[in-house]
Amino acid sequence: MSKALKILFVTPECAPWVKTGGLGDVSAALPQALAALEHDVKLLMPAYPALRALRDGARLLFQRPAQGHWPAARVLHAGRHDGVELLLLDCPGYYDRPGGPYEDPQGENALRFGLLSRVAAELAGGASPWREWRPDILHCNDWPTGLAPAYLQQLQPGGTRSVMTIHNLAFQGLFPLERARELELPPPWLVPDGLEYWHQLSFLKAGINFSDGITTVSPSYAREIREPASGCGFDGILRARAGRLCGILNGIDEAVWNPATDPHLPQRYDSGRLELKRVNKATLQQRFGLQEDDGALLFGLVSRLTEQKGIDLILEVLPWLLAQGGQLVVLGVGEAGLEQQLRDCAGRHPRQVAVELGFNEALAHQIEAGADAYLMPSRFEPCGLNQMYSQAYGTPPVVHATGGLADTVVDLAAAPERSSGFSFSQPTAGALQAALQRVFEAWREPAVWRGLQQRCMAQQLGWRGRAQRYVDVYRELLAA
Ligand code: ADP
Ligand code: GLC
């Protein structure tokens, strides 16, 4: 048997403690899956308020004195959770404060996430006082950890290899170039081949240029981001590093997203007892005052309300959808204009449209289970988890065939025997409406619909095989 790897996974969010989107779910499930493959995994994240109780019971690994612009900080060992050891970066002025993890009223995010990156590199590169454990792999996630591979190079890592995972290229971690000095980034790095991007400093670019390996969260997205249309200005550097870039599909945490065991559901069910699913639908209709009609096709949506997610396309086709007798339940937070438009729709059609603005984990599960079909017309989608959650819940997704959505949803018409949802190829309201027309048609044929649900639920969506792909990448890097 090959040697177990030591992996330091660094992330700005991790479920169930802190989650703003899919990165929180992946940061919980992927390290667990790696640990289940018998690797030695430690996860480093900031000690946000939600982690106070764990922080207060944690063991001190070392104290990091104030240095330059950075205040003093501590690294704590907060126990083992589902096989993964949790390391907390405690610096109360930076992290133990109200609001979401990225909220930044004082303009400190460069330093806050610079410190997270710096400490990760120090741990990985043996430059921290805690020398008992040196990882083989430093695995970084998204721009808040992007400086870590650069700092690791500075620290002469020896054998440690770094991997940068891009969960969303649209978030580049841009700051004024002048901040380089306080972040202790040497002037020779402030060039386009380093971490300069149009006279700004980009944390994500640092991660891309300085890491040993780059991954992103689906094979299609790995191809798309090498093209100008989807490259967010980074397509050039990604083409240049294409040999180091690979796409690995996200999985789902089957212990958390499983309708047979889900504690959030009024009624649990599985593919053998699909008829029970309707109890969840009725409960959802009741909760929101929608017409309690099992014959009305109920669409669900749980999402950040942003341009990325194609919410405007849904708003455009909504009058048509409602005229067909459909219903819609939305849970989300995001852009004020979209929130307002959704609220207005619900106000005009209280028996057909329900909107809850906020973050609500339990309700997210209840919508996956209670809806008949799930809407995800994203303009771009690195991977997307909700379409897979909805498949696991027998709620066929309707998606724009882009990024991970293209890799995870097989259209009913394109390949009936393998189908797992509905997809359309242009991100327009017209294309979405045409797909929805097909959804209504399939829904009217119970045998067709039931078959589709069964295929959705029979898929292997778990992390095991997908985590193994990460291990393969780690091993290739270590062998190089
Ligand atoms: P992204 O990371 O781009 O937001 P994903 O589909 O990968 O998209 O993951 C989104 C995750 O966040 C899912 O777990 C989804 O259920 C959750 N989520 C998004 N918005 C909300 C919300 N308002 N309330 C609860 N969960 C939400
Ligand atoms: C990002 C992407 C989403 C992906 C998630 C987890 O937030 O927008 O598509 O599923 O990260 O990788």
Side-chain angles (χ1 to χ4, degrees), residues 19-23 25 168 257 302-304 308-309 331-333 358-361 364 368 376 381 384-387 389:
K19 162 175 166 181
T20 68
L23 174 57
D25 285 352
N168 195 333
W257 294 94
V302 180
S303 183
R304 292 186 289 116
Q308 175 190 345
K309 301 294 179 176
L331 168 64
V333 258
F359 202 92
N360 185 335
E361 185 73 27
E368 295 288 4
M376 206 155 166
E381 195 59 77
L385 296 170
N386 277 310
Q387 80 282 11
Y389 297 154

Side-chain angles (χ1 to χ4, degrees), residues 352-422:
Q352 281 182 286
V353 180
V355 174
E356 175 142 325
L357 300 174
F359 202 92
N360 185 335
E361 185 73 27
L363 183 56
H365 289 243
Q366 290 153 9
I367 292 176
E368 295 288 4
D372 295 305
Y374 188 85
L375 289 181
M376 206 155 166
S378 310
R379 288 208 156 67
F380 69 93
E381 195 59 77
C383 180
L385 296 170
N386 277 310
Q387 80 282 11
M388 292 189 274
Y389 297 154
S390 72
Q391 288 170 336
Y393 282 65
T395 306
V398 187
V399 305
H400 169 218
T402 181
L405 299 175
D407 294 341
T408 54
V409 177
V410 178
D411 182 77
L412 178 66
E417 299 308 311
R418 291 190 297 117
S419 60
S420 55
F422 300 84

Side-chain angles (χ1 to χ4, degrees), residues 166 168-172 174 197-198 202 204-205 208 216 220-240 245 379-382 402:
I166 302 169
N168 195 333
L169 193 65
F171 300 116
Q172 304 183 325
L174 298 177
Y197 180 63
W198 292 105
S202 165
L204 185 62
K205 191 172 187 186
I208 293 172
T216 187
S220 286
Y221 194 62
R223 283 190 297 275
E224 289 167 9
I225 56 178
R226 283 179 277 171
E227 301 299 328
S230 303
C232 301
F234 283 12
D235 47 294
I237 55 168
L238 289 165
R239 278 195 300 279
L245 167 66
R379 288 208 156 67
F380 69 93
E381 195 59 77
T402 181

Side-chain angles (χ1 to χ4, degrees), residues 251-276:
I252 75 172
D253 186 334
E254 291 167 310
V256 177
W257 294 94
N258 179 349
T261 55
D262 192 331
H264 299 300
L265 301 190
Q267 174 66 60
R268 297 178 196 153
Y269 59 96
D270 55 33
S271 59
R273 290 172 301 163
L274 249 179
E275 65 287 351
L276 296 177

